[in-house]
Amino acid sequence: MIRSVCIFCGAKPGLAPTYAELARTSGRAIARRGWRIVYGGGSVGLMGEVAAAALEAGGEVVGIIPAILMRREVGKRDVSRLEVVADMATRKERMIEISDAFIALPGGLGTLDELFEVLTLRQIGFHHKPVGLLNHDGYFEGLLAMCAGFVAEGFVRPGDLDHLMVEPEIESLLARLAG
Ligand code: AMP
């Protein structure tokens, strides 16, 4: 049963205003389900939008941020709980530990780092938690094609990617995560 979902997404807003809209819709949808959001603790970019929208909708939001990023990502102090941790590795570890599922929204290198961390940890059996990718307007199409290539070339077992849930809309993704 899912009670906490971890969101990975851009610390930047992206160019099109639709990305912020997507982040807000996602935050609200998760709050409406009564699921707690775990995220990187910042108030900038899509991260900040997800958190603010979930809080406005009455949801619970836990931010986990390394002390060194408190200033750069403007640590969001009005979340339900803000954990300031020692470093980036501890942040990822803690986010993974206290979440029951993971969702990646559009983002950049940090988002991919976090997504692949949970995928590789699942690949080696460290956890069996569901992982979802919100492929809004085909944002991750290139990445998915690349991953299919890795499978075709024998570097990734098909089973290690089959469980990645890819959906274009947040509602269908949440429904699949909920099982
Ligand atoms: P980005 O997708 O690059 O905007 O980053 C989104 C989130 O990933 C932010 O919370 C960043 O702090 C985090 N992040 C950025 N770089 C890294 C990294 N090298 N390792 C882990 N997380 C990162």
Side-chain angles (χ1 to χ4, degrees):
M1 194 175 111
I2 294 175
R3 291 176 53 217
S4 269
V5 63
C6 181
I7 303 291
F8 303 133
C9 63
K12 297 184 179 63
L15 286 180
T18 49
Y19 290 117
E21 239 167 76
L22 175 78
R24 284 194 292 269
T25 305
S26 301
R28 273 194 300 270
I30 295 166
R32 270 203 307 268
R33 276 184 179 259
W35 293 356
R36 176 176 77 164
I37 289 179
V38 175
Y39 86 116
S43 57
V44 294
L46 298 193
M47 296 167 77
E49 300 288 352
V50 169
L55 288 167
E56 277 163 33
E60 185 184 350
V61 178
V62 175
I64 303 181
I65 193 164
I68 197 168
L69 285 184
M70 269 302 276
R71 199 189 296 204
R72 202 168 83 194
E73 293 187 355
V74 199
K76 194 160 168 50
R77 295 182 186 278
D78 61 345
V79 290
S80 318
R81 191 170 88 231
L82 185 66
E83 293 185 18
V84 181
V85 295
D87 49 42
M88 298 295 273
T90 311
R91 176 207 244 176
K92 272 193 292 193
E93 211 173 279
R94 183 84 182 125
M95 287 169 103
I96 292 167
E97 180 190 348
I98 67 170
S99 305
D100 305 313
F102 308 93
I103 297 179
L105 264 56
L109 301 179
T111 302
L112 291 186
D113 172 80
E114 293 162 337
L115 171 67
F116 281 100
E117 175 98 12
V118 293
L119 288 175
T120 49
L121 287 175
R122 189 171 157 140
Q123 178 174 274
I124 58 172
F126 184 84
H127 72 85
H128 295 91
K129 300 173 183 178
V131 187
L133 188 64
L134 189 54
N135 191 22
H136 168 79
D137 274 350
Y139 181 78
F140 287 111
E141 222 48 66
L143 181 74
L144 291 168
M146 210 171 181
C147 288
F150 299 156
V151 173
E153 293 299 319
F155 286 101
V156 177
R157 282 179 308 204
D160 289 331
L161 276 175
D162 285 351
H163 63 77
L164 177 65
M165 297 171 184
V166 183
E167 290 287 331
E169 309 289 342
I170 188 67
E171 284 299 348
S172 52
L173 187 56
L174 296 181
R176 279 185 68 189
L177 287 170

